[in-house]
Amino acid sequence: TLLAHALISLAPAGEVQNRLVQTLFEAYFIQNLDLTQAAQLETLARQAGLSPDLIDQALHDTECHQQIAQADQHARDIGV
């Protein structure tokens, strides 16, 4: 989802970002959780170690969301 990608994009590169990706992967594919719900994503991001401020920014920053949507569209346009 756009919000999950925003969390990943804003997470500090390295251990925290890797832990978030793993947490989201397990939540979706193993626990069958709904990653379209902001409250669920917030809980998972906290479990992965993201700060409340960063989580809030990722979930509510429309500029960040636009950048991610543009990157997604670009990837689709080039066949990724």
Side-chain angles (χ1 to χ4, degrees), residues 46-72:
R46 285 180 187 263
Q47 289 174 358
L50 274 69
S51 72
D53 288 341
L54 191 142
I55 294 168
D56 186 60
Q57 179 184 359
L59 296 180
H60 299 104
D61 185 341
T62 56
E63 184 177 322
C64 176
H65 299 168
Q66 289 173 344
Q67 290 174 354
I68 291 168
Q70 289 172 349
D72 178 66

Side-chain angles (χ1 to χ4, degrees), residues 1-10 20 24 35-39 41-42 45 55-62 64-65 68:
T1 70
L2 181 77
L3 295 180
H5 282 90
L7 285 165
I8 294 167
S9 174
L10 294 178
L20 175 62
L24 293 172
L35 299 186
T36 65
Q37 301 299 312
L41 288 169
E42 181 177 356
I55 294 168
D56 186 60
Q57 179 184 359
L59 296 180
H60 299 104
D61 185 341
T62 56
C64 176
H65 299 168
I68 291 168

Side-chain angles (χ1 to χ4, degrees), residues 70 72-80:
Q70 289 172 349
D72 178 66
Q73 186 58 53
H74 177 69
R76 291 172 193 270
D77 290 346
I78 63 171
V80 174

Side-chain angles (χ1 to χ4, degrees), residues 7-52:
L7 285 165
I8 294 167
S9 174
L10 294 178
E15 185 179 335
V16 173
Q17 190 177 59
N18 292 340
R19 190 168 46 240
L20 175 62
V21 169
Q22 185 65 34
T23 298
L24 293 172
F25 182 88
E26 289 176 8
Y28 185 76
F29 289 106
I30 297 172
Q31 300 170 10
N32 199 32
L33 297 178
D34 183 359
L35 299 186
T36 65
Q37 301 299 312
Q40 183 67 66
L41 288 169
E42 181 177 356
T43 298
L44 294 167
R46 285 180 187 263
Q47 289 174 358
L50 274 69
S51 72

